[in-house]
């Protein structure tokens, strides 16, 4: 389900310039705009960042850091999402981005911290399930 009409990827915690350039190039090839989310914006609701709207002062949220990288895709159809993910995976310079999500009706009012926490929980649950499934 699309929440916003703009096809965009929100990039969180990309500090390595070479990796960032590779990710931006992959998204460019997929014809997806990207927005680098600053630390000060991590507390801003996702839908505001995705729509490039004016929201509450970003400074009010502080500049706490996330513990890993995260990409949030907004407004992409299934084909374009698959294309973007494929391009990110196929280029080793993009690195392994452990946390990826799609903007939905459920998470659109969440901020980067809330979504990151939820993705961490899901990631841990999937890893635990994978370990118990192995003989």
């Amino acid at each position: 389900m699309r929440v916003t009409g703009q096809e965009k990827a929100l990039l969180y915690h990309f500090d390595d310039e070479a990796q960032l350039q590779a990710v931006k190039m992959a998204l460019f090839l997929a014809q997806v705009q990207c927005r680098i989310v600053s630390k000060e914006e991590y507390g801003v609701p996702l839908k505001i960042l995705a729509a490039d709207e004016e929201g509450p002062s970003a400074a009010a949220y502080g500049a706490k850091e996330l513990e890993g990288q995260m990409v949030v895709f907004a407004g992409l159809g299934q084909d374009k999402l698959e294309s973007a993910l494929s391009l990110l995976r196929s280029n080793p310079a993009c690195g392994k981005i452990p946390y990826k999500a799609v903007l939905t009706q459920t998470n659109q009012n969440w901020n980067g911290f809330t979504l990151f926490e939820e993705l961490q929980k899901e990631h841990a649950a999937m890893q635990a399930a994978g370990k118990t499934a192995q003989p």
Side-chain angles (χ1 to χ4, degrees):
M1 169 183 283
R2 289 194 215 188
V3 175
T4 177
Q6 278 190 336
E7 297 174 331
K8 185 171 287 180
L10 304 175
L11 307 178
Y12 288 80
H13 193 59
F14 281 81
D15 296 330
D16 180 90
E17 191 59 34
Q19 180 193 21
L20 176 60
Q21 291 307 316
V23 168
K24 286 170 68 175
M25 179 54 73
L27 293 171
F28 173 78
L29 293 173
Q31 298 179 340
V32 175
Q33 290 182 353
C34 65
R35 175 176 179 162
I36 299 149
V37 181
S38 70
K39 286 183 204 180
E40 294 78 22
E41 295 176 309
Y42 288 179
V44 175
L46 300 170
K47 71 178 180 180
I48 291 174
L49 294 174
D52 286 327
E53 294 175 4
E54 285 296 319
S57 170
Y61 297 106
K64 192 172 104 178
E65 187 57 88
L66 296 178
E67 297 174 23
Q69 296 174 327
M70 178 172 70
V71 177
V72 181
F73 294 99
L76 278 69
Q78 189 65 34
D79 289 345
K80 188 160 282 196
L81 177 62
E82 288 177 16
S83 173
L85 291 171
S86 176
L87 287 163
L88 288 169
R89 280 191 292 263
S90 68
N91 184 349
C94 290
K96 186 169 177 137
I97 304 165
Y99 303 106
K100 297 176 224 44
V102 174
L103 187 68
T104 66
Q105 291 291 338
T106 300
N107 68 20
Q108 68 178 342
N109 292 311
W110 296 0
N111 61 41
F113 298 119
T114 305
L115 179 59
F116 189 81
E117 243 178 67
E118 187 63 28
L119 291 175
Q120 280 184 308
K121 289 177 192 172
E122 289 177 11
H123 191 72
M126 289 185 345
Q127 285 184 327
K131 288 179 183 175
T132 58
Q134 296 175 2

